[in-house]
Amino acid sequence: MSDLVVDGLVAGYGDAQVLHGVRFTVRQGEVCAILGPNGAGKTTLLRALSGMVKARGTITLGGTDLTGRPPDAVARLGVAHVPEGRGTFMPLTVEENLRLGAFVRRDRAAVARDLDRIYTYFPVLKTRLKQAAGSLSGGEQQMLAIGRALMLRPKVLLLDEPSLGLAPLVTRELFRIVQAINAEEQTTVVVVEQNAHLALGIAQQAHVLETGRIVLSGTAAEIRADEQVAQSYLGYR
Ligand code: ATP
């Protein structure tokens, strides 16, 4: 099984340590939500998992040690990161962006099949193939960013605030598609999300991160039922 196992994770920027020993496991094929206030270190956690910030401790995927490897090596080993703000190449077309996602792959026939698969999840992208990514709506850009990540055939998809700046209807559609991808491809998903309702709606497990430490872990139902979480993140009680 390709479980993602994180233990004693310490990371930060220069002298500023942001993560202070984070430990959790995401079982293969599960959706894991990371909740927490602004500045808690959620983005830094995803960056550490994808090798974008240096980390100490251990990160393993299916027993393979990812700790300290550069981002392209981590990507090759199956971890695709969709950063906050999406990271699409605005002047390039939709198709060029998607093909860039397959940069580590040489199997051209399989890449063509994967493009078709991505159009079934995101039909709108197929109608925009020759358009510059910069001309897409916010929701379409997020779809493109996820589509591009899927071109890696990842075992793990890291999603940072996918709902940022999107209308509620678009966000719901996006989460529905993420859930379909998870169900159909058994892709493990780690999602950082301000909209706790949505994230808990698709997650099996969730963790609350505060000042660089996990302060609460449980099933999505347990986390939803927690008084403190309800007050801080779900807007009731
Ligand atoms: P948000 O929801 O606001 O994005 P977050 O939980 O994702 O918050 P991070 O973005 O990981 O939190 O930030 C954690 C801490 O690290 C903050 O104090 C932030 O100021 C700091 N930080 C983030 N990025 C950098 C950087 N590139 N250089 C220096 N410090 C940074």
Side-chain angles (χ1 to χ4, degrees), residues 177-193:
I177 298 171
V178 170
Q179 195 168 32
I181 292 165
N182 165 255
E184 283 166 38
E185 323 260 331
Q186 277 76 56
T187 310
T188 306
V189 177
V190 181
V191 58
V192 162
E193 181 51 62

Side-chain angles (χ1 to χ4, degrees), residues 11-14 16-19 34-47 53 84 160-161 164 192-194 209 211-212:
Y13 307 92
Q17 190 178 323
V18 174
L19 302 178
I34 308 285
L35 312 177
N38 288 340
K42 305 180 298 297
T43 294
T44 305
L45 173 60
L46 294 191
R47 286 184 183 149
V53 300
E84 197 175 3
D160 198 353
E161 300 280 359
L164 201 73
V192 162
E193 181 51 62
Q194 290 290 333
L209 191 69
T211 55

Side-chain angles (χ1 to χ4, degrees), residues 33-37 40 42 191-197 199-200 206-210 223 229 233-234:
I34 308 285
L35 312 177
K42 305 180 298 297
V191 58
V192 162
E193 181 51 62
Q194 290 290 333
N195 188 329
H197 275 296
L200 292 173
H207 306 282
V208 177
L209 191 69
E210 282 179 14
I223 298 291
V229 169
Y233 305 109
L234 297 170

Side-chain angles (χ1 to χ4, degrees), residues 41-118:
K42 305 180 298 297
T43 294
T44 305
L45 173 60
L46 294 191
R47 286 184 183 149
L49 295 180
S50 63
M52 286 165 63
V53 300
K54 282 227 159 20
R56 286 183 287 117
T58 53
I59 305 163
T60 60
L61 179 60
T64 303
D65 195 355
L66 305 181
T67 328
R69 294 186 196 250
D72 62 318
V74 177
R76 272 174 231 274
L77 290 167
V79 178
H81 186 166
V82 181
E84 197 175 3
R86 290 148 205 161
T88 47
F89 297 98
M90 298 300 180
L92 298 186
T93 67
V94 167
E95 188 174 12
E96 286 164 342
N97 267 283
L98 288 172
R99 288 190 181 279
L100 269 180
F103 72 102
V104 298
R105 299 177 49 189
R106 307 223 185 300
D107 44 348
R108 290 177 65 175
V111 166
R113 276 200 301 279
D114 284 351
L115 279 170
D116 281 342
R117 208 176 89 252
I118 284 160

